Coordinates of all heavy atoms in Angstrom, one line a residue:
A1 N 94.6 75.9 81.9 CA 93.2 76.0 81.5 C 92.6 77.3 82.1 O 91.9 78.1 81.3 CB 92.4 74.8 82.0
T2 N 93.0 77.7 83.2 CA 92.4 78.9 83.9 C 93.1 80.2 83.0 O 92.3 81.1 82.8 CB 92.9 79.1 85.3 OG1 92.2 78.1 86.0 CG2 92.3 80.4 85.8
A3 N 94.3 80.1 82.6 CA 94.9 81.2 81.8 C 94.2 81.3 80.5 O 93.9 82.4 80.0 CB 96.4 80.9 81.6
T4 N 93.7 80.1 79.9 CA 93.0 80.2 78.7 C 91.6 80.8 78.9 O 91.2 81.6 78.0 CB 92.9 78.8 78.1 OG1 94.2 78.2 77.9 CG2 92.1 78.8 76.7
V5 N 91.0 80.6 80.0 CA 89.7 81.2 80.3 C 89.9 82.7 80.3 O 89.1 83.5 79.8 CB 89.1 80.7 81.6 CG1 87.9 81.5 82.0 CG2 88.7 79.2 81.5
N6 N 91.0 83.2 81.0 CA 91.3 84.7 81.1 C 91.5 85.2 79.7 O 91.1 86.3 79.3 CB 92.4 84.9 81.9 CG 92.1 84.5 83.4 OD1 91.0 84.6 83.8 ND2 93.1 84.3 84.2
T7 N 92.3 84.4 78.8 CA 92.5 84.9 77.5 C 91.2 85.0 76.7 O 91.0 86.0 75.9 CB 93.5 83.9 76.7 OG1 94.7 83.9 77.5 CG2 93.8 84.3 75.3
V8 N 90.3 84.0 76.7 CA 89.1 84.0 76.1 C 88.2 85.3 76.5 O 87.7 85.9 75.7 CB 88.2 82.7 76.4 CG1 86.8 82.9 76.0 CG2 88.9 81.5 75.7
S9 N 88.2 85.5 77.8 CA 87.5 86.7 78.3 C 88.1 88.0 77.7 O 87.4 88.9 77.3 CB 87.5 86.8 79.8 OG 86.8 85.6 80.3
Q10 N 89.3 88.1 77.7 CA 90.0 89.3 77.1 C 89.8 89.4 75.7 O 89.5 90.5 75.2 CB 91.5 89.3 77.5 CG 92.2 90.6 77.1 CD 91.6 91.8 77.7 OE1 91.4 91.9 78.9 NE2 91.4 92.9 76.9
T11 N 90.0 88.3 75.0 CA 89.8 88.4 73.5 C 88.3 88.7 73.2 O 88.0 89.6 72.2 CB 90.1 87.0 72.9 OG1 91.5 86.7 73.2 CG2 89.9 87.0 71.4
T12 N 87.3 88.3 73.9 CA 85.9 88.6 73.8 C 85.7 90.1 73.9 O 85.0 90.7 73.1 CB 85.0 87.8 74.8 OG1 85.2 86.4 74.5 CG2 83.6 88.2 74.6
L13 N 86.3 90.6 74.9 CA 86.2 92.0 75.1 C 86.8 92.9 74.0 O 86.2 93.8 73.5 CB 86.9 92.5 76.5 CG 86.9 93.9 76.8 CD1 85.4 94.6 76.9 CD2 87.6 94.2 78.1
T14 N 88.0 92.4 73.5 CA 88.7 93.1 72.4 C 87.8 93.1 71.2 O 87.6 94.1 70.5 CB 90.0 92.4 72.2 OG1 90.8 92.6 73.4 CG2 90.7 93.1 71.1
L15 N 87.2 91.9 70.8 CA 86.4 91.7 69.7 C 85.2 92.6 69.8 O 84.7 93.2 68.9 CB 86.0 90.3 69.5 CG 87.2 89.4 69.0 CD1 86.8 87.9 69.1 CD2 87.7 89.8 67.6
L16 N 84.6 92.7 71.0 CA 83.4 93.5 71.2 C 83.7 95.0 70.9 O 83.0 95.6 70.2 CB 82.8 93.3 72.6 CG 81.6 94.1 73.0 CD1 80.4 93.7 72.0 CD2 81.2 93.9 74.4
Q17 N 84.9 95.4 71.5 CA 85.2 96.8 71.3 C 85.5 97.2 69.9 O 85.3 98.3 69.5 CB 86.4 97.1 72.3 CG 86.0 97.1 73.8 CD 87.2 97.3 74.7 OE1 88.4 97.0 74.2 NE2 87.0 97.7 75.9
A18 N 86.0 96.2 69.1 CA 86.4 96.4 67.8 C 85.1 96.2 66.9 O 85.2 96.3 65.7 CB 87.4 95.4 67.3
R19 N 84.0 95.9 67.5 CA 82.7 95.6 66.8 C 82.7 94.5 65.8 O 82.1 94.5 64.8 CB 82.2 96.9 66.1 CG 81.9 98.0 67.1 CD 81.3 99.2 66.5 NE 81.0 100.1 67.6 CZ 80.8 101.4 67.4 NH1 80.7 101.8 66.2 NH2 80.5 102.2 68.4
K20 N 83.5 93.5 66.2 CA 83.6 92.2 65.4 C 82.6 91.2 65.9 O 82.4 90.2 65.2 CB 85.1 91.7 65.3 CG 85.9 92.7 64.6 CD 87.3 92.2 64.3 CE 88.1 93.1 63.5 NZ 89.2 92.5 62.9
I21 N 82.1 91.4 67.1 CA 81.0 90.6 67.6 C 80.0 91.5 68.3 O 80.3 92.6 68.6 CB 81.6 89.5 68.7 CG1 82.2 90.1 69.8 CG2 82.5 88.5 68.0 CD1 82.6 89.2 70.9
T22 N 78.8 91.0 68.4 CA 77.7 91.8 69.0 C 77.8 91.6 70.4 O 78.4 90.7 71.0 CB 76.3 91.3 68.4 OG1 76.1 89.9 68.8 CG2 76.3 91.4 66.9
P23 N 77.1 92.5 71.2 CA 76.9 92.3 72.6 C 76.3 90.9 73.0 O 76.8 90.3 74.0 CB 76.1 93.4 73.1 CG 76.3 94.5 72.1 CD 76.5 93.7 70.8
D24 N 75.3 90.5 72.2 CA 74.8 89.1 72.5 C 75.8 88.0 72.3 O 75.9 87.1 73.2 CB 73.6 88.8 71.6 CG 72.3 89.7 72.0 OD1 72.3 90.2 73.1 OD2 71.5 89.8 71.1
E25 N 76.6 88.1 71.3 CA 77.6 87.1 71.0 C 78.7 87.2 72.2 O 79.1 86.1 72.7 CB 78.3 87.3 69.7 CG 77.5 87.0 68.5 CD 78.1 87.4 67.2 OE1 78.7 88.5 67.2 OE2 78.0 86.6 66.2
S26 N 79.0 88.4 72.6 CA 80.0 88.6 73.6 C 79.4 87.9 74.9 O 80.1 87.2 75.6 CB 80.1 90.0 73.9 OG 81.0 90.2 75.0
G27 N 78.2 88.1 75.2 CA 77.5 87.5 76.4 C 77.6 85.9 76.4 O 77.9 85.2 77.3
R28 N 77.4 85.4 75.1 CA 77.4 83.9 75.0 C 78.9 83.4 75.2 O 79.1 82.4 75.9 CB 76.9 83.5 73.7 CG 75.3 83.6 73.6 CD 74.8 82.9 72.4 NE 75.1 83.6 71.2 CZ 74.5 84.6 70.5 NH1 73.5 85.1 71.1 NH2 75.0 85.0 69.4
Y29 N 79.8 84.1 74.6 CA 81.3 83.7 74.8 C 81.7 83.7 76.3 O 82.3 82.9 76.8 CB 82.2 84.6 74.0 CG 82.1 84.2 72.6 CD1 82.0 85.2 71.5 CD2 82.3 82.9 72.0 CE1 81.9 84.8 70.1 CE2 82.3 82.6 70.7 CZ 82.1 83.7 69.7 OH 82.1 83.3 68.5
I30 N 81.2 84.9 76.9 CA 81.6 85.0 78.3 C 80.9 83.9 79.1 O 81.6 83.4 80.1 CB 81.2 86.4 78.9 CG1 82.1 87.5 78.2 CG2 81.3 86.5 80.4 CD1 83.6 87.4 78.5
N31 N 79.7 83.6 78.9 CA 79.1 82.5 79.6 C 79.8 81.2 79.4 O 79.9 80.4 80.5 CB 77.6 82.4 79.1 CG 76.7 83.5 79.7 OD1 77.0 84.2 80.6 ND2 75.5 83.7 79.0
R32 N 80.2 80.9 78.2 CA 80.9 79.8 78.0 C 82.3 79.7 78.7 O 82.7 78.6 79.3 CB 81.2 79.5 76.5 CG 79.8 79.2 75.7 CD 80.0 79.2 74.2 NE 81.0 78.3 73.7 CZ 81.3 78.2 72.5 NH1 80.9 79.1 71.6 NH2 82.2 77.3 72.0
A33 N 82.9 80.9 78.8 CA 84.2 81.0 79.5 C 83.9 80.7 81.1 O 84.6 80.0 81.7 CB 84.9 82.3 79.3
E34 N 82.8 81.3 81.6 CA 82.5 81.1 83.0 C 82.1 79.7 83.3 O 82.5 79.2 84.3 CB 81.3 82.1 83.3 CG 81.7 83.5 83.4 CD 80.5 84.4 83.6 OE1 79.4 84.0 83.5 OE2 80.7 85.7 83.8
D35 N 81.4 79.0 82.4 CA 81.1 77.6 82.5 C 82.4 76.8 82.6 O 82.5 75.9 83.3 CB 80.2 77.1 81.4 CG 78.7 77.6 81.6 OD1 78.4 78.2 82.6 OD2 78.0 77.5 80.5
A36 N 83.3 77.1 81.7 CA 84.6 76.4 81.7 C 85.3 76.6 83.0 O 85.9 75.6 83.5 CB 85.4 76.9 80.5
Q37 N 85.3 77.8 83.5 CA 86.1 78.0 84.8 C 85.4 77.2 85.9 O 86.0 76.6 86.7 CB 86.0 79.6 85.2 CG 86.8 79.8 86.5 CD 88.3 79.4 86.3 OE1 89.0 79.8 85.4 NE2 88.8 78.6 87.2
K38 N 84.0 77.1 85.9 CA 83.4 76.3 86.9 C 83.8 74.8 86.8 O 83.9 74.2 87.7 CB 81.8 76.4 86.7 CG 81.3 77.8 87.2 CD 79.8 78.0 86.9 CE 79.4 79.4 87.1 NZ 77.9 79.6 86.7
S39 N 83.8 74.4 85.5 CA 84.3 73.0 85.3 C 85.7 72.8 85.7 O 86.0 71.7 86.3 CB 84.1 72.7 83.9 OG 82.7 72.7 83.4
I40 N 86.6 73.7 85.6 CA 88.0 73.6 86.0 C 88.0 73.5 87.5 O 88.7 72.7 88.1 CB 88.8 74.8 85.5 CG1 89.0 74.8 84.1 CG2 90.2 74.8 86.2 CD1 89.4 76.1 83.4
D41 N 87.1 74.3 88.2 CA 87.1 74.3 89.6 C 86.6 72.9 90.1 O 87.1 72.4 91.1 CB 86.3 75.4 90.2 CG 86.8 76.8 89.9 OD1 88.1 76.9 89.6 OD2 86.1 77.8 90.0
M42 N 85.6 72.4 89.4 CA 85.1 71.1 89.8 C 86.1 70.0 89.5 O 86.2 69.1 90.4 CB 83.8 70.8 88.9 CG 83.1 69.6 89.4 SD 81.6 69.3 88.5 CE 80.7 70.8 88.9
A43 N 86.8 70.1 88.5 CA 87.9 69.1 88.2 C 88.9 69.1 89.2 O 89.4 68.1 89.6 CB 88.5 69.4 86.8
R44 N 89.3 70.3 89.7 CA 90.2 70.3 90.8 C 89.7 69.6 92.1 O 90.5 69.0 92.7 CB 90.5 71.8 91.2 CG 91.4 72.5 90.2 CD 91.7 73.9 90.7 NE 92.5 74.6 89.8 CZ 92.4 76.0 89.5 NH1 91.4 76.6 90.1 NH2 93.2 76.5 88.6
S45 N 88.5 69.9 92.4 CA 87.9 69.2 93.5 C 87.8 67.7 93.4 O 88.2 67.0 94.2 CB 86.4 69.8 93.7 OG 85.8 69.2 94.8
I46 N 87.5 67.3 92.2 CA 87.4 65.8 91.9 C 88.8 65.3 92.0 O 89.0 64.2 92.5 CB 86.7 65.6 90.6 CG1 85.3 66.0 90.6 CG2 86.9 64.1 90.1 CD1 84.6 65.9 89.3
Y47 N 89.8 66.0 91.4 CA 91.1 65.5 91.3 C 91.7 65.2 92.7 O 92.5 64.4 93.0 CB 92.0 66.5 90.6 CG 93.4 66.0 90.3 CD1 93.7 65.2 89.3 CD2 94.4 66.5 91.2 CE1 95.0 64.7 89.0 CE2 95.7 66.0 91.0 CZ 96.0 65.1 89.9 OH 97.3 64.7 89.8
A48 N 91.3 66.1 93.6 CA 91.7 65.9 95.1 C 91.3 64.7 95.6 O 92.0 64.0 96.5 CB 91.2 67.1 95.9
D49 N 90.2 64.2 95.2 CA 89.7 62.8 95.7 C 90.1 61.7 94.8 O 90.2 60.5 95.3 CB 88.1 62.9 95.8 CG 87.6 63.8 96.8 OD1 88.4 64.0 97.9 OD2 86.5 64.3 96.8
D50 N 90.2 61.9 93.5 CA 90.5 60.8 92.6 C 91.4 61.4 91.4 O 91.0 61.7 90.4 CB 89.2 60.4 91.9 CG 89.3 59.2 91.1 OD1 90.4 58.7 90.9 OD2 88.3 58.8 90.3
P51 N 92.7 61.5 91.8 CA 93.6 62.1 90.9 C 93.9 61.5 89.6 O 94.4 62.0 88.6 CB 94.9 62.2 91.8 CG 94.7 61.3 92.8 CD 93.3 61.1 93.0
M52 N 93.6 60.2 89.5 CA 94.0 59.5 88.3 C 92.9 59.4 87.2 O 93.2 59.3 86.0 CB 94.5 58.1 88.6 CG 95.8 58.1 89.5 SD 97.1 59.2 88.9 CE 97.5 58.3 87.4
D53 N 91.7 59.4 87.6 CA 90.7 59.2 86.6 C 89.7 60.4 86.4 O 89.9 61.1 85.4 CB 89.8 57.9 87.1 CG 90.6 56.7 87.0 OD1 91.4 56.5 86.1 OD2 90.5 55.9 87.9
D54 N 88.7 60.5 87.2 CA 87.6 61.5 86.9 C 88.1 63.0 86.9 O 87.7 63.7 85.9 CB 86.6 61.4 88.0 CG 85.8 60.1 87.9 OD1 85.8 59.5 86.8 OD2 85.2 59.7 89.0
G55 N 89.1 63.4 87.7 CA 89.6 64.7 87.6 C 90.3 65.0 86.4 O 90.1 66.1 85.7
Q56 N 91.2 64.1 85.9 CA 91.9 64.3 84.7 C 90.9 64.3 83.5 O 91.2 65.1 82.5 CB 93.0 63.3 84.6 CG 94.2 63.5 85.5 CD 95.3 62.5 85.3 OE1 95.1 61.4 84.6 NE2 96.4 62.8 85.9
A57 N 90.0 63.4 83.5 CA 89.0 63.3 82.4 C 88.3 64.6 82.3 O 88.1 65.1 81.1 CB 88.2 62.1 82.5
R58 N 87.8 65.1 83.3 CA 87.1 66.4 83.3 C 87.9 67.5 82.8 O 87.5 68.3 82.1 CB 86.5 66.6 84.6 CG 85.5 67.9 84.7 CD 84.8 68.1 85.9 NE 83.9 67.1 86.2 CZ 82.6 67.1 85.9 NH1 82.1 68.1 85.2 NH2 81.8 66.1 86.2
L59 N 89.1 67.6 83.3 CA 90.0 68.7 82.9 C 90.3 68.6 81.4 O 90.3 69.6 80.6 CB 91.2 68.7 83.7 CG 92.3 69.8 83.4 CD1 91.6 71.2 83.6 CD2 93.5 69.7 84.3
A60 N 90.5 67.3 80.9 CA 90.8 67.1 79.5 C 89.6 67.6 78.6 O 89.8 68.2 77.6 CB 91.1 65.7 79.2
A61 N 88.4 67.3 79.1 CA 87.2 67.8 78.4 C 87.1 69.3 78.4 O 86.7 69.9 77.3 CB 85.9 67.1 79.0
V62 N 87.4 69.9 79.5 CA 87.3 71.4 79.6 C 88.4 72.0 78.6 O 88.1 73.0 77.9 CB 87.6 71.9 81.0 CG1 87.7 73.4 81.0 CG2 86.5 71.5 81.9
I63 N 89.5 71.4 78.5 CA 90.6 71.9 77.7 C 90.2 71.7 76.2 O 90.4 72.7 75.4 CB 91.9 71.2 78.0 CG1 92.5 71.7 79.3 CG2 92.9 71.5 76.9 CD1 93.7 70.9 79.9
R64 N 89.5 70.7 75.9 CA 89.0 70.5 74.5 C 88.0 71.6 74.2 O 87.9 72.2 73.1 CB 88.4 69.1 74.3 CG 89.4 68.0 74.1 CD 88.8 66.7 73.6 NE 87.8 66.2 74.6 CZ 88.0 65.4 75.7 NH1 89.3 65.1 76.0 NH2 87.0 65.0 76.4
A65 N 87.1 71.8 75.1 CA 86.1 72.9 74.9 C 86.6 74.2 74.8 O 86.3 75.1 73.9 CB 85.1 72.9 76.0
L66 N 87.7 74.6 75.5 CA 88.4 75.9 75.5 C 89.2 76.0 74.2 O 89.2 77.1 73.6 CB 89.4 76.1 76.6 CG 88.7 76.4 78.0 CD1 89.7 76.3 79.1 CD2 88.0 77.7 77.9
T67 N 89.7 74.9 73.6 CA 90.4 75.0 72.4 C 89.4 75.3 71.2 O 89.7 76.1 70.4 CB 91.0 73.5 72.1 OG1 92.0 73.3 73.2 CG2 91.7 73.5 70.8
I68 N 88.2 74.7 71.3 CA 87.1 75.0 70.3 C 86.7 76.5 70.4 O 86.6 77.2 69.5 CB 86.0 74.1 70.5 CG1 86.3 72.6 70.1 CG2 84.7 74.6 69.7 CD1 85.3 71.7 70.5
L69 N 86.5 77.0 71.7 CA 86.1 78.3 71.9 C 87.2 79.3 71.4 O 86.8 80.2 70.7 CB 85.8 78.5 73.4 CG 85.3 79.9 73.9 CD1 84.1 80.4 73.1 CD2 85.0 79.9 75.4
T70 N 88.5 79.0 71.7 CA 89.5 79.8 71.3 C 89.6 80.0 69.8 O 89.7 81.0 69.2 CB 90.8 79.4 71.8 OG1 90.8 79.4 73.3 CG2 92.0 80.3 71.5
A71 N 89.4 78.8 69.1 CA 89.4 78.8 67.6 C 88.3 79.6 67.1 O 88.4 80.3 66.0 CB 89.2 77.4 67.1
E72 N 87.1 79.5 67.7 CA 85.9 80.4 67.3 C 86.2 81.9 67.4 O 86.0 82.6 66.4 CB 84.7 80.0 68.1 CG 84.1 78.7 67.8 CD 82.9 78.4 68.7 OE1 82.3 79.4 69.3 OE2 82.6 77.3 68.9
L73 N 86.9 82.2 68.5 CA 87.2 83.7 68.7 C 88.3 84.1 67.7 O 88.3 85.2 67.1 CB 87.7 83.9 70.0 CG 86.6 83.8 71.1 CD1 87.2 83.8 72.5 CD2 85.6 84.9 70.9
E74 N 89.3 83.2 67.4 CA 90.4 83.6 66.5 C 89.8 83.8 65.1 O 90.2 84.7 64.4 CB 91.4 82.5 66.4 CG 92.3 82.5 67.8 CD 93.2 83.8 67.9 OE1 93.7 84.2 66.9 OE2 93.2 84.2 69.0
A75 N 88.8 83.1 64.7 CA 88.2 83.1 63.4 C 87.4 84.4 63.3 O 87.2 84.9 62.2 CB 87.2 82.0 63.2
R76 N 87.0 85.1 64.4 CA 86.3 86.4 64.3 C 87.3 87.6 64.2 O 86.8 88.7 64.0 CB 85.4 86.4 65.6 CG 84.4 85.4 65.8 CD 83.4 85.2 64.6 NE 82.7 86.4 64.5 CZ 81.4 86.6 65.0 NH1 80.9 85.6 65.8 NH2 80.7 87.7 64.7
K77 N 88.6 87.4 64.4 CA 89.5 88.5 64.4 C 89.6 89.1 63.0 O 89.5 88.6 62.0 CB 90.9 88.1 64.9 CG 90.9 87.8 66.3 CD 92.3 87.6 66.8 CE 92.3 87.5 68.4 NZ 93.7 87.2 68.8

């Protein structure tokens, strides 16, 4: 999941430099990536206390969100 956040950030920068997205759009994508990273960090913390339920569920939700975000960026290429 963290690698995907990094990929999203790099793809956003590439799209911005290629002028396929605006600076405002770039900011929104970066914010979403940062929010995903915060959620990943929170999932890790929760997983340390409850490895079977809440931590895995939160991580699964973050991965779904990152999948959507990645698809949005791919569509902009």
Side-chain angles (χ1 to χ4, degrees):
T2 298
T4 303
V5 170
N6 294 336
T7 300
V8 164
S9 297
Q10 184 59 45
T11 302
T12 299
L13 177 60
T14 300
L15 291 171
L16 178 63
Q17 290 172 340
R19 297 186 179 168
K20 293 189 176 200
I21 60 174
T22 67
D24 287 342
E25 290 171 317
S26 173
R28 287 192 295 273
Y29 286 128
I30 293 298
N31 286 340
R32 289 170 64 188
E34 289 172 350
D35 289 345
Q37 185 60 55
K38 290 175 189 173
S39 292
I40 292 165
D41 294 341
M42 188 178 300
R44 283 184 184 141
S45 176
I46 291 170
Y47 187 84
D49 293 331
D50 185 6
M52 297 312 294
D53 293 323
D54 292 336
Q56 287 184 348
R58 183 173 295 269
L59 183 57
V62 173
I63 290 170
R64 283 191 302 274
L66 285 169
T67 300
I68 292 167
L69 181 54
T70 300
E72 288 177 22
L73 289 169
E74 288 296 317
R76 300 301 295 267
K77 286 185 175 180

